[in-house]
Amino acid sequence: MTKNYSYQLNNEQDKARYKSFMGFFGIAYKDYLAARTLINSNQLYRGVILANTSIEKYFKVFLAVKGNKKRTHNVEKLLKTIKNFDQGLGNEINEDFIKFLGKSYNMRYVDNDVFNDSKNEFNICICKNKVLAELDFTVNAIESGWIITKDNEKIVRRYESDMRNRNEILFKNNYLFSTLSKKEFIENQKEYVLELRNTKEMGLLEVNYETFNGKDDGIFNKEALAPKTPSDIT
């Protein structure tokens, strides 16, 4: 659903709200491009962490437009504010993907209990194409839903500008700007996978592999993307 907002900057409160609103849009998009760069370079570990920070800031756009502030990095909690703002958009966003990003954010520090507490069972499976496709879908759903005007003139944000100019970072492996469907993008090409596990028995394990067993099932919090045969792994 497209939202239309017009800002009449008549007082300092309006200016502050507008600055916060546009600020979140700007930095969210920068984090998104950085996340895409890392993921496309198979740097999945840091890529999903930046993907979380991008989505967090995109979600805070919906708070900033009303002058509200929420000091949290918890994207699951922030998703609830999106659903309150626009139930249709909230339902479009894959909640399991958001939970996955929140889980990924726990990996940002090496001294986190995720890695150092032997009692903490932790597993995450990061599939490059699947994550990239869902991230692109989520950002596009948010970006394309807003028409922002100031002094009765439309403001062209960088996402729209980069689409027009076919920015390489935005377009690289972005199924939305290709002839591929989301399912084809995920299932019809080689998938690069990173798995991290912290178990009581074996401690911290990290595995990287490639497979042709990608699935467009919308599920991100799973034990593993197990290859069917040894020949699926390179």
Side-chain angles (χ1 to χ4, degrees):
M1 183 182 296
T2 299
K3 298 294 181 179
N4 296 272
Y5 292 93
S6 178
Y7 290 84
Q8 301 298 325
L9 307 182
N10 298 320
N11 54 55
E12 291 303 316
Q13 183 177 358
D14 286 339
K15 290 180 181 179
R17 184 181 66 170
Y18 180 78
K19 181 179 180 180
S20 176
F21 173 71
M22 293 302 291
F24 276 122
F25 251 125
I27 198 167
Y29 183 64
K30 290 178 181 178
D31 282 353
Y32 166 59
L33 291 185
R36 293 198 92 257
T37 300
L38 288 170
I39 294 170
N40 271 320
S41 301
N42 293 340
Q43 300 299 312
L44 304 186
Y45 180 95
R46 302 307 299 180
V48 293
I49 294 174
L50 264 177
N52 179 92
T53 64
S54 172
I55 296 303
E56 173 199 333
K57 294 176 179 71
Y58 269 120
F59 283 177
K60 287 181 176 178
V61 164
F62 295 85
L63 297 175
V65 73
K66 293 187 175 182
N68 298 333
K69 295 181 179 180
K70 201 175 189 73
R71 301 292 184 182
T72 180
H73 300 298
N74 191 317
V75 285
E76 288 186 62
K77 290 182 179 179
L78 289 170
L79 179 59
K80 294 178 182 178
T81 69
I82 307 303
K83 292 184 176 181
N84 291 334
F85 188 94
D86 182 348
Q87 186 67 42
L89 175 61
N91 290 337
E92 280 188 54
I93 296 172
N94 185 329
E95 188 170 352
D96 197 62
F97 177 62
I98 300 305
K99 290 179 180 179
F100 163 81
L101 290 182
K103 188 176 181 180
S104 302
Y105 194 63
N106 290 326
M107 304 187 303
R108 65 194 185 279
Y109 298 125
V110 294
D111 59 351
N112 193 296
D113 286 345
V114 163
F115 300 125
N116 294 286
D117 187 354
S118 61
K119 298 179 181 179
N120 183 32
E121 294 280 347
F122 177 84
N123 177 76
I124 194 163
C125 180
I126 307 170
C127 306
K128 175 183 177 179
N129 298 329
K130 191 173 183 178
V131 168
L132 195 59
E134 201 64 40
L135 177 63
D136 290 336
F137 173 86
T138 305
V139 169
N140 182 264
I142 295 172
E143 284 275 8
S144 62
W146 292 80
I147 297 175
I148 304 170
T149 59
K150 178 181 177 183
D151 299 329
N152 297 319
E153 292 187 9
K154 180 184 176 182
I155 294 178
V156 178
R157 299 187 308 280
R158 187 178 169 188
Y159 182 81
E160 184 178 353
S161 175
D162 282 353
M163 280 198 300
R164 293 176 182 175
N165 296 323
R166 302 184 65 85
N167 178 287
E168 183 180 356
I169 299 176
L170 176 61
F171 272 65
K172 184 177 181 181
N173 292 327
N174 192 327
Y175 82 95
L176 292 167
F177 308 125
S178 74
T179 59
L180 298 176
S181 67
K182 189 177 182 184
K183 182 179 180 66
E184 290 170 334
F185 179 80
I186 294 172
E187 297 187 359
N188 292 2
Q189 58 182 340
K190 186 183 294 184
E191 180 70 285
Y192 183 84
V193 183
L194 165 65
E195 286 193 55
L196 287 170
R197 294 188 185 187
N198 188 35
T199 67
K200 296 177 182 178
E201 295 78 14
M202 296 180 288
L204 182 63
L205 300 174
E206 177 177 339
V207 180
N208 296 272
Y209 60 89
E210 292 179 326
T211 178
F212 288 96
N213 195 30
K215 294 297 179 185
D216 179 29
D217 54 11
I219 300 172
F220 291 84
N221 292 289
K222 58 171 59 178
E223 182 70 12
L225 182 65
K228 293 181 178 178
T229 66
S231 63
D232 285 333
I233 304 178
T234 58

